[in-house]
Structure formats: C-alpha cells, structure tokens
Amino acid sequence: MATIIQASHLGKIYANDSVNTVALEDVSFSVNKGEFVAIMGPSGSGKSTLMHIIGALDKPTSGTYYIEDTEVNKLPENKLAELRNKKIGFVFQAFNLLPRTTALKNVMLPMIYAGIPKAERERRAKEMLTIVGLADRMDHTSSQLSGGQMQRVAIARALAMDPAIILADEPTGNISSVQAGEIMKIFTDLNKKGHTIIMITHEPDIAAYTKRVIQLKDGKLASDQLNGHKFYGHR
Amino acid sequence: MDIGELFLSALEALSLNKMRTFLAALGIVIGIGAVIALISLGQSGQMSVQSSIQSLGSNLLTVIPGSQRSGGVNTGFGGATSLTYEDAKAIASSPQITTVAAVSPELQRRAQVTTGANNTNTQIIGVTPAYETVHNISLQEGNFISTDNVDSMSKVAVIGPTTASDLFGDGTDPVGQTVRINKIAFRIIGETVSKGGTGFGNQDDLIMVPLTSAQKLLFGVDYISSIAVQAKDANDMTTAQNQIGYFLLARHHLSDPTQADFSIFSQADILGAASQVTGTFTSLLSGIAAISLLVGGIGIMNIMLVTVIERTREIGLRKALGAQANLIVAQFLIESIILTFGGGVLGMILGTTLSYIIAKVISLPFTISLSSIITAFGVSAAIGIVFGWYPARKAANLSPIEALRYE
C-alpha cells in the first residue's frame, strides 16, 4: 500500500525568550493511503502541534516529514502554500468559512488559488456540495446554515482539490451530537471511497469511528493501535 | 490566479461588507472633495479681484495727493488737497509729457441722493469727458458728460445701473429723470452699461457729474481727489510715471522727490498688492485643504488598518487553503486601489460641484485647477495604497496558525 505520510523522529521546541518548551519529542509514524486515523491526547499533549506539522502549516525543529515524495521541512513558504492547496484538505473545529459568502463560493476558494478555470470550479464545487448533502443549500451564506451544515460545507471545501489527506481538527467540537453523528458518517463514507483521513479529537466516541488511534502524551507517542477487533492492514 | 480574477475577488470582498467599504470611501471622498473645493474657491477669489482691478481701465496710472510735509506735519496718505483741476489740464497739455493718452481729473465723495420716492447714499464722482475713455465706460443709453457740461457747470448726471435701479426701480428709464444730490436737482443724461464688479471698486453703483459742478455746487472745494492717467502703451507706464512725477514736482515748486505732495501708482502696483493679499488667502486655504487632506488621509489609514486586522483570520484561512503571501497582498492592494480611485473620482465630483455652487452663491467666477485635482488625488491615493498594502503585507507574512488563532 502506498505510503502517504512518513514522519520520523519529529520534534518541536518552542523557543520563548530563555525558556524552551518541548511540544513534541521523537514522534514517528506513517500513514498509508486509505487509512482513517484518529490522533488523541489530553490538552497539552502536543496533538495540535502535530496536526500543524502534518498540515504543513508549521515545520518541526527536528526529524523529517514526508508527504508522498516531498520532504516538507525543506520547502520554502510559497511551496508550502502550494502543497497545502494540492495535498491537504483542512476541516477546522471553528469551520472557518468566509463570512457573508455563499456555500458554493466557499467551496470554490481553494480552486481559485490552484488556478482552475471558473466553469470547472463551479462544476466541482456543486459536485462536492452534493456529496455532503447540501445540493439545496449552495446559495446560502454561513449565517443561514446550522453548525453541522457549515461543517459539511467545510468538508466539501476540503474535498474540492481532491487532496491526498483530509486533515480534520476536532471537526465535531462545535456542533451538537446528532450533527456530529452525521459528520462522522460523511467521513466514514469518504474513507470507504478511498480518501485518507486524519482526525484530531479528544472524544473517544468520535475516535471510535476511525480504524486506527494514535495516542499522544506529553509530546511523545504513547500508543499506536488498530481500533476495535477489526483486522486491518499489515501491522 | 490572474489579475482579472484578483480584481473580481477584490470587488467581491468590497461588496461583501458595504458599510466598511462606504466608510473607507467616505474618508477619501471628503478628503479629496474638500481640498479641491478650497483651492478652487481661493483661485476664484483671486481671479475676481484681478478682473475687477482690470475693469477700472487699462494702462492706468493714478495720481493722488498726499504726504506733503509742512513744518514737520505729515498730512497723511491721500488726505491732502494738493491736486487741482489745473494740474490735470497742465499734464494733458504739456509738451514734455509724450506718453500720455488721456487725463481724467476726478473728485470722489459720497452723498445722499433722492428722487421723489427713494433715496440712497452713493458715490458721486466729478468727472471730465476723459473719464469715459480712461475707465472704459460704455453707455447703454443717452450721452456722457461733455466738455460743455464741465465748462458751464451743468446740473447733469450719468448714472450707474445699480444706482438707477435703487432709485427708480427696475424697468424704469432713468434718462430724462431728475435726482437731487445734496438737495440740488440734476438731470440724468445717460446710464452706463454694467461692469459686473462687486465690492471692491464697484463701477455700477455711482453717479457721475461734471467735475466743476461737483467742486463748486455740491461740495464747495477747489481741489480734486485723484487724477487718472492713461498711458499710450503698456510699455510706457514707467516713462509716463516719471514724466508726470517730475512735471508735477516742478509745477508745485518742489525740488526733492522725497518732498513730493502727491503719489503716483500704477495699476500694476495695485494688482501686485491685491495679488499678494489674495495669494496669502489662497495659501491659507491651501493650508486648510492640506489639513483636511491629512485628516482624510488618517481616516483612510485607520479604516484600512482596521479592515485588515479584522480580516486576519480570513487571511490565515486563505493561506491554509493555499494562497501565497504575495497573492494576499495583491488582493488587499487591489481592494485599496479600487477604494481610493472610486473615492477619488467621487471626491472630485463632490469638490467641483461644491465649489461651483459656492462660487455661484457668492457670485465669484468659477475656476478649477488641474494641479489641485492632481495633488488631492495623488496624496489620498498614495495614503490609501500604502496603508492598504502595509498591514496586508504584515498579515500575509504571519504564520497561518497565528492568523487563524487571531480573535
């Protein structure tokens, strides 16, 4: 199976005046295509830092990190932006939709930066919104949508560039449990279609939807195991 | 992402928050509008003063009595009685003075003028026929005062249009009517064409009578208040000034020019002095305009800074979704260019309209100068663009994590 993420001995130290804070220490793991991984840990365990590194929003201070064949820590800022655009689909806890902008235009946004022509952008955005079940809400702005609907728009946006990884940071943290169930069903369906999904969460019942759970504690990898009783992969 | 696409998304961003866009543009509109209106009005005022001085006559020298020192007592500028009708006649007939075309001795006083029903206080000028040429007087009706009128001390008068309508009302023909000046009846023989001046040197609100009648019948004096001299040519002004000066010194038995009991100044001198005054005025207005430009500029700066800071999260999101820093800067730059240019055009329209209306209301000629438009536009555009670009660049260089976390 093709390896999508290869992280080796990742470390992150925040230098703040004279005090160095160790956020990550010697974290190694890899993710193959088609996996559905939860990264768990209490607050302060370094899961946000790890997510930023996986998402190419930040660089580790030590270790190496590959997405497919690209060594991310060696890329300049502009190439990182391009990498985020093409390889990573973000789903944030706070949705982060553009205010006063329709669902359709929100989904089109990453495609603008990829230089995709307008007609194609619109066609794909409509397709993605249909996948997440919002075909009838395309012209609604975020203030006209519920939390669950906003998160579905964000998922459609994450899918728009057909990225290698969908990276979700506490995607159910700001919505009701009923809507959370709907969101997790969408993720599960996407994973069945072959999408690779990495999700940060601290809720065990949300992590239960995934196939593999990575536990972090004090910046270190505490455990990395398959979920439940299902046999999965070669590990 | 090409420039057209950037332009469209900038327009979209501006239209998404109409209030913010309106407030930002308003600052620019007011800044530019105020500057253009103020400069334009200053220049209109200057033009108005110049044209009313020029309407007094061309190639004009004015001799006024004054500053004779007698026994250490200075009688004061223009207050002396040292010029006479004979001086004027001598200047006109002297063979030594070669550069003079016409000489107009004048006696100006204010007096109460009455008709049967109305009365007014206006300027009475005792004149000779030369006044008509020297001061470019045209008559809309009747005749000007003739040499005969002057010689025979006739009780005739030529009336200005403003005085005529004050005394007789609009639409009544004043020629042939009688007015009483200081209770003496004068028959009106002519009415002048309006020169349209206002305030300073109004040429429409006056009554002209023969010089001798003014001296002997009305005011009982034997001096005159000024002599207006028209030089033959604009280049002769200095020569004429010297010729008249030395001639009068000799005639008044004075040897030293510093002892002169008269002053001669040319229209250029008056124009120069007036220009200096109006120039100061224009500078003052420009100063006020500069301050309003500064205030407008600070307004633009603030709203741009706030706009960008408010959108830090949006910038973070755009970066996370793959926008490169220079694209974000370009978008904000284009937004501020659209704002400043849109606001600039509106400001130009506002400023022009405003100065047009004000000029009409206070009856000034309307002018607008390209340089004021360019200055106002240039400065606000520069401020708008710099302060749209600078915070955008700062935000675009933030790490996307920090920008996304920004509350």
Side-chain angles (χ1 to χ4, degrees):
Chain A
M1 232 184 265
T3 305
I4 291 205
I5 282 176
Q6 180 68 57
S8 316
H9 312 291
L10 291 182
K12 179 77 183 178
I13 295 168
Y14 290 107
N16 209 341
D17 294 326
S18 53
V19 188
N20 287 343
T21 314
V22 180
L24 276 187
E25 201 181 330
D26 195 28
V27 174
S28 301
F29 66 98
S30 64
V31 176
N32 291 335
K33 184 165 168 47
E35 281 199 79
F36 190 1
V37 184
I39 295 176
M40 293 190 75
S43 63
S45 61
K47 62 185 194 298
S48 286
T49 305
L50 183 60
M51 182 228 149
H52 292 149
I53 292 171
I54 295 171
L57 292 166
D58 203 355
K59 289 179 183 179
T61 41
S62 61
T64 55
Y65 173 54
Y66 283 87
I67 293 181
E68 293 179 334
D69 298 328
T70 314
E71 187 173 0
V72 179
N73 26 347
K74 290 204 173 139
L75 292 180
E77 184 54 45
N78 274 349
K79 290 283 171 198
L80 281 180
E82 200 183 315
L83 182 86
R84 290 194 293 264
N85 184 250
K86 300 221 156 61
K87 300 287 179 199
I88 298 161
F90 287 98
V91 178
F92 301 97
Q93 180 176 9
F95 323 131
N96 283 330
L97 300 182
L98 286 185
R100 302 185 194 84
T101 306
T102 63
L104 190 68
K105 288 203 167 139
N106 266 297
V107 177
M108 282 160 67
L109 189 63
M111 295 189 274
I112 292 178
Y113 295 122
I116 293 169
K118 189 164 195 250
E120 171 68 8
R121 288 205 301 259
E122 211 166 303
R123 191 190 65 74
R124 258 161 77 174
K126 281 180 181 163
E127 192 186 318
M128 298 308 146
L129 282 167
T130 310
I131 289 176
V132 298
L134 286 177
D136 55 340
R137 296 275 198 285
M138 292 187 190
D139 294 325
H140 290 223
T141 62
S142 41
S143 57
Q144 296 163 326
L145 296 172
S146 70
Q149 287 168 335
M150 282 196 267
Q151 198 57 296
R152 284 195 266 164
V153 174
I155 294 169
R157 182 179 63 192
L159 288 171
M161 290 296 296
D162 192 22
I165 315 153
I166 292 172
L167 188 57
D169 180 15
E170 307 260 9
T172 56
N174 277 8
I175 53 182
S176 72
S177 55
V178 177
Q179 289 172 326
E182 290 168 10
I183 294 295
M184 289 319 296
K185 183 169 183 317
I186 292 172
F187 278 126
T188 310
D189 289 347
L190 288 172
N191 179 243
K192 277 181 188 153
K193 285 186 210 162
H195 286 280
T196 311
I197 301 169
I198 299 176
M199 188 168 67
I200 313 278
T201 186
H202 63 270
E203 296 170 81
D205 53 335
I206 294 297
Y209 284 91
T210 64
K211 296 175 184 167
R212 174 182 165 196
V213 176
I214 293 174
Q215 289 274 4
L216 288 180
K217 198 177 178 224
D218 299 329
K220 290 178 197 149
L221 199 71
S223 70
D224 181 355
Q225 49 198 200
L226 297 182
N227 220 353
H229 51 272
K230 284 173 280 181
F231 180 72
Y232 173 73
H234 61 282
R235 243 160 227 277
Chain B
M1 197 175 185
D2 59 26
I3 190 84
E5 193 105 54
L6 268 174
F7 190 80
L8 281 180
S9 63
L11 268 185
E12 213 167 277
L14 287 175
S15 68
L16 283 179
N17 199 333
K18 294 195 176 61
M19 192 61 174
R20 191 171 64 199
T21 305
F22 168 75
L23 287 177
L26 190 67
I28 303 167
V29 170
I30 304 247
I32 294 185
V35 175
I36 291 177
L38 287 170
I39 296 180
S40 159
L41 284 174
Q43 285 169 337
S44 298
Q46 198 161 15
M47 249 181 51
S48 160
V49 170
Q50 278 172 359
S51 74
S52 71
I53 290 171
Q54 251 138 16
S55 79
L56 296 174
S58 49
N59 302 343
L60 208 61
L61 288 172
T62 308
V63 186
I64 58 159
S67 291
Q68 183 182 29
R69 287 186 173 275
S70 49
V73 178
N74 190 332
T75 52
F77 183 79
T81 58
S82 52
L83 286 181
T84 62
Y85 185 17
E86 280 65 37
D87 286 334
K89 284 198 247 187
I91 291 170
S93 59
S94 163
Q96 302 156 11
I97 299 174
T98 55
T99 48
V100 164
V103 179
S104 166
E106 294 155 21
L107 175 63
Q108 292 194 27
R109 287 286 172 92
R110 292 194 79 84
Q112 201 65 24
V113 181
T114 57
T115 62
N118 298 316
N119 76 89
T120 183
N121 187 291
T122 188
Q123 182 144 256
I124 309 296
I125 308 184
V127 301
T128 64
Y131 189 93
E132 191 179 2
T133 34
V134 169
H135 294 284
N136 295 332
I137 303 287
S138 345
L139 294 177
Q140 51 174 305
E141 215 194 337
N143 300 304
F144 200 72
I145 287 153
S146 67
T147 315
D148 275 355
N149 293 147
V150 177
D151 290 347
S152 60
M153 242 187 273
S154 306
K155 293 174 192 164
V156 293
V158 172
I159 194 165
T162 306
T163 319
S165 73
D166 283 350
L167 289 173
F168 302 107
D170 292 320
T172 312
D173 182 5
V175 174
Q177 309 264 16
T178 302
V179 290
R180 288 179 172 275
I181 306 170
N182 281 358
K183 294 176 183 147
I184 299 168
F186 279 74
R187 188 168 50 86
I188 296 173
I189 58 167
E191 183 183 3
T192 64
V193 171
S194 171
K195 284 194 164 189
T198 50
F200 182 79
N202 189 339
Q203 299 272 294
D204 293 340
D205 187 10
L206 47 73
I207 293 178
M208 287 163 276
V209 297
L211 178 61
T212 46
S213 314
Q215 284 183 315
K216 301 290 183 305
L217 300 176
L218 290 176
F219 306 120
V221 297
D222 52 10
Y223 54 84
I224 55 177
S225 50
S226 64
I227 304 172
V229 180
Q230 188 171 35
K232 281 179 178 157
D233 190 276
N235 300 324
D236 288 339
M237 299 292 281
T238 318
T239 322
Q241 201 163 353
N242 287 332
Q243 285 178 344
I244 296 164
Y246 286 111
F247 178 79
L248 281 179
L249 278 178
R251 223 181 112 74
H252 292 185
H253 309 294
L254 299 164
S255 50
D256 184 356
T258 59
Q259 296 285 307
D261 55 359
F262 58 88
S263 315
I264 305 175
F265 51 89
S266 65
Q267 207 182 18
D269 298 333
I270 308 175
L271 211 57
S275 297
Q276 210 173 353
V277 173
T278 54
T280 309
F281 198 63
T282 307
S283 312
L284 182 76
L285 285 173
S286 305
I288 296 171
I291 292 169
S292 65
L293 198 58
L294 185 75
V295 172
I298 289 171
I300 297 168
M301 184 180 92
N302 283 346
I303 201 104
M304 288 295 187
L305 285 172
V306 169
T307 298
V308 177
I309 290 167
E310 198 183 274
R311 290 165 70 184
T312 305
R313 274 176 73 107
E314 180 191 325
I315 290 172
L317 172 71
R318 286 174 186 273
K319 286 196 79 172
L321 296 183
Q324 300 186 347
N326 53 2
L327 262 185
I328 288 169
V329 177
Q331 186 193 324
F332 277 83
L333 196 58
I334 290 173
E335 278 183 34
S336 43
I337 289 172
I338 295 173
L339 262 183
T340 41
F341 276 73
V345 170
L346 286 180
M348 262 156 43
I349 296 171
L350 177 82
T352 313
T353 316
L354 210 65
S355 55
Y356 180 78
I357 292 171
I358 294 175
K360 280 285 158 273
V361 167
I362 61 177
S363 57
L364 281 179
F366 168 70
T367 57
I368 196 108
S369 82
L370 192 64
S371 65
S372 66
I373 292 180
I374 291 172
T375 309
F377 203 95
V379 172
S380 343
I383 293 173
I385 289 165
V386 167
F387 289 99
W389 165 81
Y390 167 73
R393 199 193 62 131
K394 233 174 105 175
N397 287 334
L398 273 181
S399 94
I401 307 163
E402 267 175 73
L404 274 173
R405 274 204 202 118
Y406 191 89
E407 292 296 332

